[in-house]
Structures are given as structure tokens and as C-alpha cells.
């Protein structure tokens, strides 16, 4: 009997195990207590919320269209549809701007000024088509863009975020550039690069999540013929006066938003902690 007791748990402990497990996974909520934390399969973590007492301010109000199948999620302030929210970023449907594309309507420009949202540095600026000069000019004094040709560049390597992207966008019928940091306006221009070369054909440009780009056949304009959007990453900042900063559990970086002169922060939980930093990080529980 003494030997057997080493290998069997009492009925009381067995009954308590599910409860202990539930407590362990419930210590790091992503939404405020009593608030909806998902719309369909899409999480809606604080500072987002679907009702007034659940979001930080109106900029983070979420519209959950449960009449759609599956349910659809929108950020009311930007009217952009959400694909996912995680790790301090929102993946949303970004527009595809087009020119001379038969049967295709160009996506609308995006202006996030006046909101806490901006395009993440994790996006790439892509142009697809032959003989294109694609430029981002609505981003202050700097200009960002790229050129595509009708013939490939040989022995040329483009490095984006430390990754060679020849195979993804070699310069023939496609070019790529970094997205400027904290850009809030996406209103690109598409021009003919060389007047002596063919300038006909469909031309496209868009911002896209670099992770999506890595697995996409972006060199082929036909891929986008029936595609209405590409996934793009939005980041956001929050006024430091609106939440409590705990240096022991949180890691934050701060900067001044140029247009509103607001001191804003981006935060995450420190190593060994988990949860939503704006609700309070908690120590990880091993179960």
C-alpha cells in the first residue's frame, strides 16, 4: 500500500486539477473584465473593444459584424477591416492601387492622420508591372520608392530586413522598397520610368506585410487580377497618461507623435511575464 501511494493521486487532487488549470490560463486576460475578447475567430484585445467601457478611447472602437459569415471586424476610426490582432499589431486589409488594369478598380488611398495608428516598419512597398516608377510622396520631406524594368537586373541583390529578395521581386516586372517608419498616409504615384520603352499593361502598387510577401508570387500581375486586398500591418501608440506603467513587468519605448505632439508609448511584457501590458503583465504560471 505504501508503494502504491507513490503512483496514485487522491480523488480530491484529481478533482482540483481542472480548476487549477483554469486558474492558470485565466490570469492573463487580453480584454477588460466583462468585455468581449473575440469577434468570431479574431481577438479584440484591450485597448480595443466593442463597447464604450471596453476600449481605451474612440480610436480603438471595434465594430463586430456578426451578421456576416464568418463575422467581420472593423476599426471604426480607420474603417479598415481586421484580419488579426496580436503582439501589439493589427493585420488589416490594405488597398491595391492600380493603373491601366482592365476590369479592376483601384483601391482608395489611406490617411491615418489624427489617429494613433501608423503603418508598421514590417511592411514592404511593392510595385508590380513593367517600366514603373512607384513613389511615396505624401510622407513629409522624404521620398521613398522603387523602379521596375521590362528586363531583369542581372547580378543584383536587394536586401530587405537582412533577407535577399531576388527570388521574390527581382526588378523585372516588380520592385520593392522599405516602408518609411511610422508612415500614416498611403497615396502612391505610378509613373512611366522610361518613355522609350513599353508603358502599357497593368500596373499595381501596395503596402504589404513582409511575412505575406515572402510566400507570395508577387512578380505575376495576374495573381492580383481578382484580389481585392493585401494584408498590411498597423501599429499603434497610446498616451502614457491613460494607463499605468510598471517598469518591473513592462518594457516600453516612447517617442513624440509629430502631428499631435503627444508623448506616446509602445509596450510589451518583459521576459518571464505575459498578458496584455495595458491591463497589467503577470508572472508566467507553469502547469
Amino acid at each position: 500500500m505504501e508503494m502504491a501511494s507513490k503512483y496514485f493521486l487522491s480523488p480530491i487532487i484529481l478533482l482540483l486539477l481542472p480548476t487549477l488549470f483554469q486558474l492558470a490560463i485565466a490570469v492573463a486576460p487580453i480584454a477588460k473584465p466583462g468585455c468581449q475578447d473575440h469577434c468570431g475567430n479574431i481577438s479584440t484585445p484591450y485597448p480595443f473593444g466593442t463597447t464604450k467601457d471596453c476600449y481605451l478611447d474612440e480610436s480603438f472602437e471595434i465594430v463586430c459584424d456578426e451578421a456576416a459569415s464568418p463575422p467581420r471586424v472593423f476599426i471604426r476610426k480607420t474603417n479598415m477591416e481586421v484580419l488579426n490582432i496580436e503582439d501589439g499589431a493589427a493585420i488589416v486589409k490594405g488597398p491595391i492601387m492600380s493603373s491601366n488594369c482592365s476590369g479592376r478598380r483601384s483601391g482608395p488611398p489611406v490617411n491615418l492622420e489624427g489617429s494613433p495608428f501608423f503603418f508598421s516598419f514590417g511592411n514592404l512597398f511593392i510595385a508590380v508591372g513593367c517600366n514603373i516608377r512607384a513613389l511615396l510622396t505624401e510622407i513629409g520631406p522624404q521620398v521613398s520608392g522603387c523602379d521596375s524594368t521590362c528586363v531583369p537586373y542581372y547580378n543584383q541583390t536587394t536586401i530587405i530586413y537582412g533577407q535577399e529578395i531576388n527570388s521574390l521581386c527581382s526588378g523585372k516586372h516588380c520592385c520593392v522598397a522599405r516602408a518609411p517608419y511610422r508612415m500614416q498616409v498611403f497615396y502612391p504615384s505610378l509613373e512611366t520610368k522610361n518613355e522609350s520603352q513599353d508603358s502599357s499593361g497593368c500596373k499595381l502598387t501596395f503596402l504589404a506585410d513582409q511575412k505575406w510577401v515572402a510566400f507570395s508570387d508577387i512578380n505575376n500581375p495576374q495573381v492580383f487580377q481578382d484580389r481585392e486586398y493585401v494584408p498590411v500591418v498597423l501599429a499603434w501608440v497610446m498616451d502614457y497618461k491613460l494607463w499605468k506603467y510598471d517598469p518591473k513587468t513592462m518594457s516600453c519605448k516612447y517617442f513624440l507623435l509629430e502631428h499631435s505632439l503627444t508623448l506616446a508609448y509602445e509596450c510589451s511584457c518583459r521576459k518571464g511575464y505575459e498578458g496584455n501590458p495595458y491591463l497589467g503583465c503577470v508572472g508566467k504560471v507553469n502547469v
Side-chain angles (χ1 to χ4, degrees):
M1 290 296 294
E2 184 176 340
M3 179 69 71
S5 65
K6 296 181 180 179
Y7 299 98
F8 292 94
L9 297 175
S10 73
I12 295 177
I13 294 177
L14 288 172
L15 288 172
L16 285 175
L17 280 176
T19 303
L20 292 172
F21 180 75
Q22 289 173 2
L23 288 173
I25 64 174
V27 293
I30 64 170
K32 293 178 72 174
C35 293
Q36 183 176 348
D37 61 6
H38 279 77
C39 176
N41 292 325
I42 299 175
S43 63
T44 55
Y46 186 80
F48 294 94
T50 56
T51 58
K52 186 174 181 179
D53 294 332
C54 293
Y55 50 75
L56 177 69
D57 59 42
E58 292 182 354
S59 295
F60 295 96
E61 181 181 359
I62 286 290
V63 177
C64 178
D65 181 7
E66 294 183 318
S69 182
R72 300 173 67 186
V73 177
F74 297 86
I75 301 173
R76 187 183 293 278
K77 182 74 172 181
T78 66
N79 198 34
M80 301 185 82
E81 185 170 353
V82 176
L83 299 171
N84 193 20
I85 302 176
E86 63 178 4
D87 299 328
I91 312 298
V92 300
K93 292 184 177 181
I96 300 173
M97 316 294 281
S98 63
S99 175
N100 198 35
C101 298
S102 178
R104 180 181 183 86
R105 181 182 300 176
S106 182
V110 179
N111 190 334
L112 302 174
E113 291 181 335
S115 82
F117 301 99
F118 56 91
F119 293 104
S120 167
F121 199 52
N123 294 305
L124 298 177
F125 177 48
I126 307 285
V128 179
C130 176
N131 193 20
I132 296 175
R133 172 160 289 166
L135 297 174
L136 291 169
T137 57
E138 303 292 325
I139 53 176
Q142 60 181 328
V143 175
S144 180
C146 64
D147 294 340
S148 74
T149 68
C150 299
V151 294
Y153 290 116
Y154 292 103
N155 300 320
Q156 177 167 317
T157 298
T158 303
I159 305 294
I160 299 290
Y161 305 111
Q163 177 186 9
E164 294 186 10
I165 60 168
N166 304 56
S167 59
L168 301 176
C169 195
S170 62
K172 179 185 178 182
H173 297 282
C174 180
C175 67
V176 60
R178 291 176 181 269
Y181 192 43
R182 300 194 191 105
M183 184 179 74
Q184 289 191 295
V185 178
F186 179 61
Y187 190 37
S189 65
L190 283 171
E191 304 171 358
T192 299
K193 179 179 180 290
N194 190 332
E195 295 292 344
S196 65
Q197 295 181 9
D198 181 20
S199 61
S200 63
C202 179
K203 298 175 176 61
L204 306 166
T205 184
F206 48 85
L207 284 175
D209 179 4
Q210 63 172 338
K211 295 178 182 178
W212 177 84
V213 171
F215 296 96
S216 303
D217 183 15
I218 59 175
N219 290 276
N220 183 4
Q222 288 300 119
V223 170
F224 300 93
Q225 185 61 36
D226 299 318
R227 189 174 185 92
E228 297 180 356
Y229 69 89
V230 290
V232 63
V233 186
L234 293 187
W236 64 84
V237 293
M238 295 168 58
D239 190 330
Y240 76 101
K241 302 173 187 174
L242 302 179
W243 48 272
K244 184 178 179 181
Y245 170 57
D246 182 354
K248 294 181 180 180
T249 64
M250 298 166 62
S251 175
C252 298
K253 51 186 176 180
Y254 66 90
F255 49 88
L256 193 67
L257 288 179
E258 296 178 4
H259 297 286
S260 62
L261 298 180
T262 300
L263 188 62
Y265 284 75
E266 293 178 273
C267 294
S268 60
C269 294
R270 288 188 180 277
K271 185 178 180 180
Y273 294 86
E274 62 185 355
N276 187 325
Y278 305 109
L279 294 176
C281 300
V282 297
K284 289 185 178 180
V285 178
N286 296 318
V287 293

